Amino acid sequence: MAKSLKEQLVNILTENKLLTPDELDKALDIQKQKGGRLSSILVSLNLVDERDLMIALSKSLHIPPVNLEKLKIKPEVIKLIPQQVAQHYQLIPVSRIGDNLTVAVSDPLNIVALDDIRALTKYKVKTVLSTEVDIKEAIRRYYSADAQEIIKDAIERRTAVVTEPSKKKEEELDTESLMELVKGAPLVKITNMILEEGIKRRASDILIEPLEKIMQVRYRVDGVLQMGQAPPKSMHEAIVTRIKVMSRLNVAEHRLPQDGRFKYGSARKQEVDFRVSVLPSSFGEKLALRILDKSTLLLDLEKLGFEETPLKVLKECTLRPHGMILICGPTGCGKTTTLYSILKRVDSIEKNLVTVEDPIEYQLDGINQVTALPEIGLTFANALRSILRQDPDVIMIGEIRDYDTVDIAIKSALTGHLVLSTLHTTDAAGSLVRLANMGVEPFLITASVLMVGAQRLVRLLCPDCKEAYKVSPALKEKLNLKDNKELTFYRPKGCPKCNNTGYKGRIAIMEILRITPKIKDLIAQKAPEVQIKNAARREGMTTLRENGLAKVIRGETSLEEVLRVTVPDEKLS
C-alpha cells in the first residue's frame, strides 16, 4: 500500500534523525488542533532547521536544491504564474525550456499545488527545492514593481491631484484631496515599500523625516541608523496621511503630536505590529515607526547573552518570593525584553502576574497587561494602587518615573510581592543613589531591593566576514587585561550577508549589583556611587566593560563596539 504524503515526510524526518518521536508527536498534535503543513509547524516550533529539512527532502526525493539569491529569473517566466497563486502555494517559477516549466517549491509533497500549476500554465512542471523564507523573499523581489517605478507613478498621481480644476498648491492640499490620493495604488505601494524594507533589514525603527528640501527615510538596524531610499519631498504629506489612516489617527490634525499603532501583513512574515509616533516639526510632520515583530522576540534569559556570573545572580533573585528587581540603562538597551523574559521564567498557573506599561510593547500570553494613560488620570501610581487590590504575586512596572510610583512599588515589595521595574540610569550603583535622590529612605531601599542590573546591547560581528588581529601588549595594558597569553580580537569587514556593515544582530551585556550586607551598610550611610560600585566589584560584581571585553575575547563582538557603549572602570585601590 502506498504511503500517504504525511507518512513520507515523517519517514524522511526520522530516517535523517532531524527530530525525536516526542517532538514529532508534539507537532502532529498541533497540526490536528490548528491545521497547516507539518513542515511549517516543525520549523515554527524550532524543532527542525529549515535548511536541514530542505537538504533531507532533496536527498530522499532526489530533487535538486536551488539558491534563489544567486538566480536571475526572467520577467517572462515570472509572468507565467500570477502573484496570488505564487503566494498561496509558496512557490515561484525559475525557468522554462520548451514545454517544461521548472518551479522552486519548499514543499515538494504538495501534489495539489503542482497539479494546479500544470492546469494553469499548460506546461509540464518540474520542481527544485528552496526554503520557504527564500521563496517569500523571491516573490517579494520579482513580483513587486521596481521602487523607482513606484515613486515615478506616485509622483504622477500626486501631480494629477494638484493640477485638478481646484488649482490648489501642493502645500494647500485639503484633507479630501489627500484622502483621495492615499487610496491610490501607487501611494499604497510606496508606503508598503518603506515598511517592507524595514522588516527586510531587521530594523527596530523607521524614521520618516521632512527636511527643508528633501524627505529622509532612515532605518535603525542593530541600534545604528542607516539611510534608506526616500521618495521626493512632495510625497511626504501623502505618506504621513496614509500611515495616519492605517493607525486610525486624526488626519486633519497637524499641530499636535499623535500616537497610534497598526498591524501590517508583510510578504516576508505573517503579521507585524507597528507603533507610530507623529511629531510636528518646522518642515512637516516627522514619523517614528517602532517595528514590533513578535517572531524575533526572544524571551529566554539563557539566550539573551548574559555572562555566567550575572545570569546566575539574576536567576537566583527571580526565585525570591518578594522584593524588587531593577533593570537600568538608556532607552533602547533591551530593559523591557529582559523584564519580559523574567516574567516568562516566573510565570506559572499558581501565580497572578500583572504589568502596567506605557505603552504595552508586546502582548504576552497568560499575563494581565495594563496600559498607563496619564491623560485620563491612569498614571503608574494610580494603576499600581488598583493592581494591589487584584491579588497579584508578581508586578511589572514599565518605568519608575516619580516618587509616588517608587513609593508604592517599594511598599508592594515589602508586603509579599515580587516587583520588576526599570530606571533610566547609567549603571547599577547609580540606580541606588537615584532612588535616594527621589526621596526613598535608605532603610526602605535595603529592605526591598534584591538587585540592580545595568544593561547595554552590543552588535554581534558577522560570522562570515569578521577579521582577526593580534592584540598588542600596550592595548592589553590599557584595557587592564592580565592574561599572559597572546590574544586575538576580531573587527568588522562587511559583506552582502550583513549589508556591508560587518555586524549582524545584537546581544546583551549586563552588570548586576546584588544588595549584600556590605552594600546595605553603604546605602544606610548614604555613600557616594563610586564607593558603592567599588565595594560591589570587590565582592565579585563584573562591570559592563568587563562583561563586554569577555565577549570581545570570545570573538562575538568588536572592541570598538564595547568601547562605544561602556565607560572605563576606575582601578580598584
Side-chain angles (χ1 to χ4, degrees):
M1 183 175 173
K3 292 181 180 178
S4 68
L5 299 177
K6 184 189 288 187
E7 287 174 333
Q8 287 185 57
L9 178 59
V10 168
N11 283 345
I12 291 168
L13 292 167
T14 51
E15 285 172 8
N16 286 274
K17 298 180 181 179
L18 291 178
L19 75 169
T20 65
D22 289 343
E23 291 171 337
L24 179 60
D25 290 341
K26 179 182 177 182
L28 289 171
D29 286 342
I30 292 174
Q31 187 188 40
K32 201 177 291 181
Q33 294 168 15
K34 300 182 179 179
R37 293 191 297 138
L38 180 59
S39 57
S40 296
I41 292 169
L42 290 167
V43 171
S44 66
L45 292 173
N46 293 322
L47 296 176
V48 176
D49 181 80
E50 194 172 8
R51 296 198 179 275
D52 290 342
L53 177 60
M54 182 186 75
I55 292 167
L57 287 170
S58 176
K59 286 180 180 177
S60 301
L61 300 175
H62 305 292
I63 300 174
V66 65
N67 188 341
L68 291 176
E69 285 185 13
K70 296 182 179 179
L71 202 64
K72 190 169 183 180
I73 307 173
K74 295 179 180 179
E76 58 267 26
V77 174
I78 290 292
K79 290 176 183 177
L80 293 174
I81 298 179
Q83 181 177 355
Q84 293 84 352
V85 176
Q87 287 176 331
H88 178 71
Y89 288 127
Q90 285 302 296
L91 50 79
I92 189 167
V94 294
S95 68
R96 181 186 68 83
I97 300 174
D99 59 351
N100 291 311
L101 177 64
T102 302
V103 178
V105 298
S106 61
D107 183 8
L109 298 176
N110 190 344
I111 305 301
V112 175
L114 300 178
D115 285 345
D116 283 356
I117 297 301
R118 288 188 193 97
L120 176 70
T121 62
K122 311 300 181 188
Y123 287 110
K124 296 174 184 176
V125 177
K126 294 184 177 181
T127 56
V128 290
L129 271 178
S130 185
T131 64
E132 192 170 323
V133 170
D134 288 348
I135 289 174
K136 282 183 178 179
E137 170 60 20
I139 290 172
R140 186 199 69 79
R141 190 165 70 245
Y142 286 105
Y143 283 100
S144 298
D146 181 76
Q148 293 297 334
E149 288 299 316
I150 295 174
I151 294 172
K152 183 181 176 183
D153 191 11
I155 293 170
E156 290 172 357
R157 181 73 176 257
R158 169 95 171 160
T159 305
V161 172
V162 174
T163 54
E164 282 179 350
S166 62
K167 293 182 181 178
K168 291 177 180 286
K169 292 181 180 178
E170 288 187 27
E171 298 83 25
E172 297 173 350
L173 278 177
D174 57 22
T175 303
E176 186 178 340
S177 299
L178 274 170
M179 290 302 293
E180 181 65 28
L181 180 60
V182 300
K183 292 176 185 175
L187 210 290
V188 172
K189 283 183 180 179
I190 200 168
T191 306
N192 290 351
M193 181 187 74
I194 293 171
L195 302 181
E196 288 284 355
E197 184 65 19
I199 296 167
K200 178 184 175 184
R201 294 194 190 195
R202 302 174 294 105
S204 60
D205 301 88
I206 303 174
L207 302 182
I208 301 174
E209 304 161 304
L211 304 181
E212 185 176 5
K213 295 180 180 179
I214 63 169
M215 171 183 168
Q216 185 171 265
V217 177
R218 294 190 288 171
Y219 302 93
R220 189 174 294 280
V221 181
D222 295 334
V224 178
L225 285 169
Q226 299 176 357
M227 291 297 295
Q229 186 174 20
K233 176 73 181 290
S234 60
M235 295 301 306
H236 173 260
E237 192 176 356
I239 291 171
V240 170
T241 304
R242 169 68 187 163
I243 292 175
K244 280 185 178 180
V245 169
M246 295 169 73
S247 309
R248 298 182 180 179
L249 299 176
N250 184 355
V251 296
E253 178 58 71
H254 304 290
R255 300 168 299 171
L256 295 173
Q258 296 188 71
D259 296 303
R261 61 194 304 157
F262 65 88
K263 292 182 183 291
Y264 173 72
S266 167
R268 299 171 60 83
K269 299 177 182 291
Q270 286 188 335
E271 199 170 56
V272 178
D273 283 349
F274 282 82
R275 196 173 77 214
V276 180
S277 173
V278 185
L279 180 70
S281 70
S282 55
F283 297 114
E285 292 174 291
K286 175 185 174 180
L287 290 178
L289 284 71
R290 170 64 56 89
I291 303 176
L292 303 172
D293 185 357
K294 209 167 186 178
S295 67
T296 63
L297 184 64
L298 186 64
L299 300 182
D300 186 344
L301 285 176
E302 303 277 358
K303 297 178 181 177
L304 293 182
F306 300 137
E307 295 297 307
E308 186 178 345
T309 302
L311 179 61
K312 182 181 177 183
V313 175
L314 181 56
K315 287 162 80 172
E316 286 174 0
C317 290
T318 62
L319 296 175
R320 300 284 289 272
H322 56 82
M324 182 183 286
I325 295 174
L326 289 172
I327 307 295
C328 68
T331 301
C333 72
K335 299 188 297 294
T336 303
T337 300
T338 300
L339 291 185
Y340 280 167
S341 300
I342 295 172
L343 285 176
K344 294 301 286 185
R345 179 176 175 80
V346 302
D347 187 21
S348 70
I349 196 69
E350 295 88 8
K351 291 182 180 179
N352 178 16
L353 279 65
V354 187
T355 77
V356 54
E357 305 168 61
D358 181 19
I360 294 172
E361 291 202 10
Y362 294 96
Q363 297 287 346
L364 302 177
D365 294 335
I367 296 173
N368 305 286
Q369 294 173 269
V370 178
T371 302
L373 298 168
E375 62 271 19
I376 62 170
L378 186 61
T379 61
F380 278 114
N382 290 337
L384 276 172
R385 291 188 183 95
S386 297
I387 286 169
L388 288 172
R389 294 192 285 271
Q390 293 286 318
D391 186 34
D393 295 293
V394 182
I395 303 168
M396 179 188 129
I397 306 164
E399 183 187 345
I400 290 177
R401 299 174 179 172
D402 50 46
Y403 176 76
D404 287 342
T405 305
V406 72
D407 181 53
I408 299 171
I410 284 179
K411 287 175 181 174
S412 302
L414 292 172
T415 53
H417 306 89
L418 183 63
V419 179
L420 316 174
S421 191
T422 69
L423 268 177
H424 282 291
T425 53
T426 55
D427 63 2
S431 294
L432 298 173
V433 176
R434 169 91 169 116
L435 290 176
N437 290 340
M438 291 174 77
V440 182
E441 292 293 337
F443 74 89
L444 290 175
I445 298 174
T446 58
S448 60
V449 180
L450 300 173
M451 55 144 279
V452 183
Q455 185 170 314
R456 298 291 188 276
L457 292 176
V458 293
R459 291 181 291 172
L460 287 168
L461 285 164
C462 174
D464 294 297
C465 66
K466 63 182 182 181
E467 286 184 326
Y469 66 96
K470 299 296 180 185
V471 182
S472 67
L475 181 58
K476 282 173 64 175
E477 185 180 351
K478 189 174 181 180
L479 296 173
N480 199 28
L481 296 174
K482 297 173 182 176
D483 195 334
N484 293 322
K485 298 177 185 176
E486 188 177 52
L487 290 178
T488 300
F489 285 0
Y490 291 84
R491 55 184 163 224
K493 181 182 178 183
C495 68
K497 290 190 177 180
C498 60
N499 202 23
N500 292 314
T501 62
Y503 297 98
K504 195 173 183 181
R506 288 192 289 179
I507 198 168
I509 56 174
M510 178 184 275
E511 66 177 24
I512 289 187
L513 193 161
R514 194 165 193 170
I515 310 302
T516 62
K518 174 63 177 176
I519 300 300
K520 287 182 179 182
D521 289 341
L522 291 173
I523 294 171
Q525 297 166 22
K526 297 185 178 180
E529 179 182 328
V530 174
Q531 195 174 338
I532 294 173
K533 182 176 180 178
N534 287 341
R537 290 177 67 190
R538 290 189 187 96
E539 292 190 324
M541 181 186 85
T542 53
T543 65
L544 284 168
R545 174 64 63 88
E546 290 166 346
N547 278 279
L549 287 175
K551 287 177 167 46
V552 173
I553 292 169
R554 288 200 300 270
E556 296 175 9
T557 189
S558 68
L559 177 61
E560 294 79 10
E561 188 67 7
V562 171
L563 298 181
R564 180 178 68 88
V565 300
T566 64
V567 295
D569 298 317
E570 294 184 4
K571 288 188 177 181
L572 287 174
S573 55

